[in-house]
Amino acid sequence: MDDSRRRESELEAWLTSHGVYLAATSSWGAAPHPLGIASQTKDQDLQPSGRGLLATRGVRQGDALFRVPEKVCITRRNAVAVLGADIATPALGEHETLALLLMRERALGAASFWAPYLNVLPSTAAEVGASFIWSDAELALLQGSAALNEAREFAARLRTSYSELAAPGGPIDTMAARALAPADAMSFEQFEWAMAVLFSRAINMREVRATRRRRRRRGVRARARAPLSLIHI
């Protein structure tokens, strides 16, 4: 078994052990799961789109496809539980809050509760392909596009946000003082990685719930479970 497949198997085992039903065969009171985790999927244009879920058998409209317990999600609530309410304060943005948790858990390595999930994430922001870390030469390819200014503005906001987090007495300073994470694990490069992961994988569950309410008002059955949550598989 190659390293990639080993890590994926460990992720599946971890999810199953914490209440995510993924069994491909039936058991007492449970039918075979209609979805399977695939390491490589393609979008509607047949372009590679990375890891995802594929239907392995027929699915009826209105069926619950999967349920993910909140305890395995990287959420603000879990960040407060791990970091403390005085670090993950209501005034701290959700992306910044989750980024701090990601950075801290990554530094823990195998000791992290989320280690099996972290092990299948991209290892660098460059691997994600986030435009906010592109070089000037790469950004020049966007000349004439609104994406150019957006990428530069986002990169500047990222710098400002990190400066505020790392200021004396700020969240990163407090985390280091409490030995929640070593200083090198809370560098700007690690912050870039965490934000790249979030912007490529986070799901805004408030929007999901709002969509569900709208669908229900129209008489359309919809199901979703579990604010901003990192639950991408």
Side-chain angles (χ1 to χ4, degrees), residues 42-57:
K42 294 183 179 180
D43 61 21
Q44 59 186 4
D45 297 320
L46 301 181
Q47 296 299 311
S49 55
R51 184 180 297 100
L53 296 173
L54 295 178
T56 57
R57 50 182 53 85

Side-chain angles (χ1 to χ4, degrees), residues 19-177:
V20 179
Y21 184 65
L22 294 169
T25 56
S26 60
S27 61
W28 287 106
H33 199 282
L35 302 180
I37 297 179
S39 58
Q40 292 296 329
T41 61
K42 294 183 179 180
D43 61 21
Q44 59 186 4
D45 297 320
L46 301 181
Q47 296 299 311
S49 55
R51 184 180 297 100
L53 296 173
L54 295 178
T56 57
R57 50 182 53 85
V59 177
R60 297 174 301 177
Q61 182 176 357
D63 284 352
L65 296 182
F66 59 90
R67 292 183 174 89
V68 181
E70 186 180 355
K71 67 180 180 181
V72 305
C73 301
I74 294 177
T75 65
R76 177 187 281 277
R77 183 180 300 175
N78 286 335
V80 171
V82 172
L83 304 178
D86 59 332
I87 293 177
T89 66
L92 190 62
E94 290 198 76
H95 283 97
E96 288 79 5
T97 300
L98 300 191
L100 291 177
L101 180 59
L102 276 173
M103 294 157 70
R104 188 257 183 185
E105 295 301 315
R106 190 186 200 191
L108 289 177
S112 169
F113 170 72
W114 289 281
Y117 176 66
L118 297 175
N119 287 340
V120 301
L121 292 176
S123 59
T124 64
E127 192 177 336
V128 179
S131 60
F132 56 79
I133 66 163
W134 286 8
S135 66
D136 288 338
E138 290 170 317
L139 287 173
L141 299 173
L142 300 176
Q143 197 66 46
S145 165
L148 175 59
N149 286 335
E150 290 174 0
R152 286 174 171 166
E153 289 172 3
F154 188 84
R157 289 200 302 272
L158 215 60
R159 285 279 179 186
T160 299
S161 179
Y162 181 76
S163 295
E164 293 171 352
L165 292 172
I172 289 178
D173 194 33
T174 303
M175 289 174 67

Side-chain angles (χ1 to χ4, degrees), residues 6-25:
R6 176 188 59 77
R7 285 182 282 132
E8 289 171 0
S9 295
E10 290 173 353
L11 171 63
E12 291 183 30
W14 176 73
L15 289 170
T16 300
S17 70
H18 291 288
V20 179
Y21 184 65
L22 294 169
T25 56

Side-chain angles (χ1 to χ4, degrees), residues 94-95 201-210 227-229:
E94 290 198 76
H95 283 97
R201 285 159 169 78
I203 298 173
N204 190 329
M205 296 309 295
R206 291 194 187 97
E207 289 298 322
V208 171
R209 293 188 181 110
L228 185 65
S229 303

